[in-house]
Amino acid sequence: MMRLGRAPCCYCFTEPPPAGGVAAAVRLRLLPPARAANTSSEPAARLRAVLEQVDEELRKGNDEAALSLVRGSQGADGGLRFFGAARQVPQRLYTLDELKLNGIDTSAFLSPVDLTLGSIERNLQIAAVLGGLSVSAAFELSQLQVLFLFLGLLSLWSVDLVYFGGGVRNLILDTIGHNLSQKYRNRVIQHEAGHFLIAYLLGVLPKGYTITSLDTFIKKGSLNVQAGTAFVDFEFLQEVNSGKLSATMLNKFSCIALAGVATEYLLYGYAEGGLADIGQLDGLLKGLGFTQKKADSQVRWAVLNTVLALRRHKKARSQLAEAMSSGKSVGSCIGVIEENINSEDI
């Protein structure tokens, strides 16, 4: 499953009955003006019905059915207008100067360092050392006993690193970060909203998201799964497994991978999170046998394409972040995107 952080069929939707049942329907027939006013809400009602069905299919794990529902409602009256509708820049080799002309400094973009969690980790290490010294003094431990205590803690850290990929460490630091730093929490939410929005605009359906490592652990029951946004990616995996990854699919993956750091860059002037996202993209390009020049071309195009899309749809990203911070469903988040994008920007 692509995590960033990853057969068409026909469906027929029945218009839900008016509130109040048959009696309400009779009143509408007796009052034509009220019925006329109600018809304007019918497309919105149909859209809500589709998104509720999408949520239900995703809950069941029916990714293909959910994707078919979304594609089947594209462009219809009251359907999804912006799924896969992103305006994109021409694909070519862009120079660093051209990126700078568009207000993009790649040095602050592609080398994220998590200063917040780094600071928390350093403080915890200092506290652990001071705590160890206090315990040693209180219990009058010998130097050998202190050495054994140190080795015991080191072994626990090694077990976490080897068996859980540092999951326990990440869980502790992320939980502390979310509880002590509102800026950290906001940054994570905006980061994931960037992934979600760009994926949707490029025609990749998000299937779920988690904001904190604790939420991920509770939902997945695993320390090896990071918090982030997951996607309906069976088509991507089919192409990767066949050894024939199309340029279109690679372009989508590249932009989605960079959307989180791009969002942070636009909001804060630099990115702290997203190192794993960049590593995923770098690993894919190396696996495809890209030369350094070809990889640079792909990344620079994706950076420019993603940043410009996020700038155009600033309002949608902001409203989406609010929805995600409240834990809204994927369908509800899609509804927020559809409501907050100007057709002229597509």
Side-chain angles (χ1 to χ4, degrees):
M1 178 173 62
M2 181 167 62
R3 192 174 189 88
L4 296 168
R6 256 185 78 95
C9 51
C10 180
Y11 289 82
C12 180
F13 307 110
T14 303
E15 180 71 10
V22 176
V26 172
R27 287 197 296 273
L28 288 175
R29 284 195 293 271
L30 293 174
L31 300 171
R35 180 178 177 85
N38 186 60
T39 56
S40 64
S41 66
E42 289 178 359
R46 283 197 294 273
L47 178 58
R48 284 195 300 271
V50 170
L51 295 179
E52 287 173 2
Q53 285 186 285
V54 170
D55 278 335
E56 182 62 23
E57 295 299 340
L58 290 176
R59 275 193 293 269
K60 293 177 180 177
N62 298 334
D63 292 358
E64 293 188 34
L67 183 58
S68 293
L69 277 168
V70 171
R71 287 176 173 169
S73 68
Q74 284 179 274
D77 183 22
L80 300 171
R81 297 171 296 162
F82 305 121
F83 181 68
R87 185 204 312 170
Q88 304 190 59
V89 300
Q91 189 164 15
R92 61 175 176 83
L93 175 59
Y94 291 90
T95 66
L96 292 178
D97 287 338
E98 286 178 301
L99 295 184
K100 288 180 180 179
L101 287 174
N102 284 277
I104 301 171
D105 179 6
T106 54
S107 64
F109 189 106
L110 295 176
S111 301
V113 178
D114 203 324
L115 302 176
T116 303
L117 294 190
S119 176
I120 292 173
E121 185 172 23
R122 286 191 299 273
N123 290 333
L124 286 177
Q125 290 170 345
I126 293 172
V129 171
L130 295 177
L133 293 175
S134 298
V135 170
S136 175
F139 291 94
E140 299 181 349
L141 300 179
S142 66
Q143 291 182 348
L144 184 60
Q145 289 172 320
V146 172
L147 178 61
F148 285 152
L149 177 62
F150 172 77
L151 291 176
L153 293 175
L154 184 61
S155 65
L156 289 176
W157 178 83
S158 300
V159 168
D160 173 47
L161 188 62
V162 172
Y163 291 98
F164 303 116
V168 174
R169 167 188 171 276
N170 293 336
L171 176 62
I172 293 172
L173 292 178
D174 183 72
T175 301
I176 294 174
H178 276 282
N179 283 280
L180 295 185
S181 174
Q182 186 61 41
K183 181 180 178 180
Y184 173 76
R185 176 172 174 79
N186 290 340
R187 180 172 63 78
V188 172
I189 292 170
Q190 297 291 348
H191 182 107
E192 296 308 325
H195 282 310
F196 193 117
L197 176 62
I198 292 300
Y200 183 79
L201 293 175
L202 291 175
V204 176
L205 178 64
K207 66 181 296 183
Y209 65 89
T210 51
I211 300 300
T212 70
S213 294
L214 183 58
D215 288 340
T216 306
F217 177 67
I218 292 173
K219 291 180 179 179
K220 304 294 183 180
S222 173
L223 290 168
N224 292 318
V225 181
Q226 292 184 340
T229 306
F231 305 95
V232 174
D233 59 357
F234 63 90
E235 293 176 332
F236 171 79
L237 294 176
Q238 286 172 357
E239 290 194 14
V240 170
N241 293 333
S242 70
K244 298 178 181 179
L245 185 64
S246 66
T248 299
M249 193 65 74
L250 175 60
N251 289 345
K252 290 180 180 181
F253 181 90
S254 302
C255 293
I256 295 169
L258 296 174
V261 292
T263 301
E264 290 190 43
Y265 174 77
L266 290 174
L267 288 174
Y268 307 110
Y270 62 95
E272 288 192 21
L275 187 60
D277 299 336
I278 295 173
Q280 270 191 313
L281 177 57
D282 184 57
L284 177 63
L285 296 179
K286 287 181 178 177
L288 293 172
F290 276 35
T291 63
Q292 189 61 53
K293 182 178 180 180
K294 189 174 181 181
D296 288 345
S297 176
Q298 180 68 30
V299 171
R300 290 175 189 176
W301 171 83
V303 166
L304 181 61
N305 195 51
T306 304
V307 167
L308 293 183
L310 288 168
R311 283 176 179 163
R312 281 194 299 272
H313 306 300
K314 179 180 178 181
K315 179 183 177 183
R317 191 263 312 145
S318 176
Q319 295 299 312
L320 173 61
E322 288 189 21
M324 294 175 73
S325 69
S326 301
K328 298 293 186 181
S329 69
V330 169
S332 297
C333 289
I334 290 174
V336 169
I337 294 173
E338 290 284 334
E339 291 170 4
N340 288 280
I341 286 185
N342 189 332
S343 300
E344 296 178 357
D345 292 330
I346 292 293

